[in-house]
Amino acid sequence: MTAPTALGPVQLAVYTRLTDDDALMALITGVYDYVPENVAFDYVTIGEATEVPDNRHGGFGRETTVSLHVWSRYRGHARGLRIAARVTELLDHQPLAVAGLHHVSTRFEFSQTLTDPEPPGDIRHIPMRFRIVTEQE
């Protein structure tokens, strides 16, 4: 027997944690997996994810890395960094309710500030990554 994928349940848990937070939602227009046309800045997207086994004797587990992306048109990175800081507060070393799985840990791995080089060059982007460890209940 093998463990089911954790990708979907982890993504839903991250989405729920972010969208349930009034402080974060006051800073952004939404959290998206797919960004509809004409969405106003600032917002967060749930991006790429990877999953690897993290099994133990007698049980199955998964390590899932989830990329989140903060998008802003603010002049400079201050607003995006404030949003990224709130995202980190909500996820790093915090318990998650992952449907069908036992949440073991969530750890912040990295973030980076980027400026869109394409004209007009007014989009600020902060990719972030979190590692989420789960195991079968």
Side-chain angles (χ1 to χ4, degrees):
M1 179 174 169
T2 186
T5 181
L7 289 170
V10 165
Q11 180 178 343
L12 180 58
V14 168
Y15 175 83
T16 301
R17 170 60 57 83
L18 298 181
T19 57
D20 282 354
D21 184 68
D22 292 338
L24 176 63
M25 297 311 292
L27 297 172
I28 61 175
T29 61
V31 176
Y32 302 99
D33 178 26
Y34 169 80
V35 181
E37 288 187 41
N38 301 320
V39 168
F41 286 84
D42 301 329
Y43 57 87
V44 173
T45 57
I46 299 174
E48 306 72 23
T50 63
E51 176 181 78
V52 296
D54 187 31
N55 300 327
R56 57 181 164 65
H57 182 69
F60 295 99
R62 294 286 189 260
E63 281 193 17
T64 306
T65 58
V66 176
S67 296
L68 301 175
H69 302 270
V70 175
W71 299 93
S72 178
R73 277 213 160 123
Y74 184 77
R75 290 185 162 208
H77 289 289
R79 187 177 293 166
L81 288 170
R82 188 169 5 145
I83 295 165
R86 184 64 189 151
V87 168
T88 301
E89 288 174 20
L90 292 170
L91 296 175
D92 189 34
H93 289 78
Q94 299 300 315
L96 279 178
V98 183
L101 298 167
H102 170 71
H103 175 259
V104 176
S105 65
T106 299
R107 301 291 184 259
F108 170 76
E109 287 195 340
F110 83 90
S111 63
Q112 177 182 4
T113 57
L114 301 170
T115 302
D116 184 0
E118 295 297 319
D122 63 345
I123 297 176
R124 302 295 188 259
H125 175 204
I126 302 176
M128 310 174 72
R129 188 171 63 211
F130 294 85
R131 181 171 305 275
I132 300 164
V133 179
T134 57
E135 59 189 16
Q136 283 182 314
E137 292 186 321

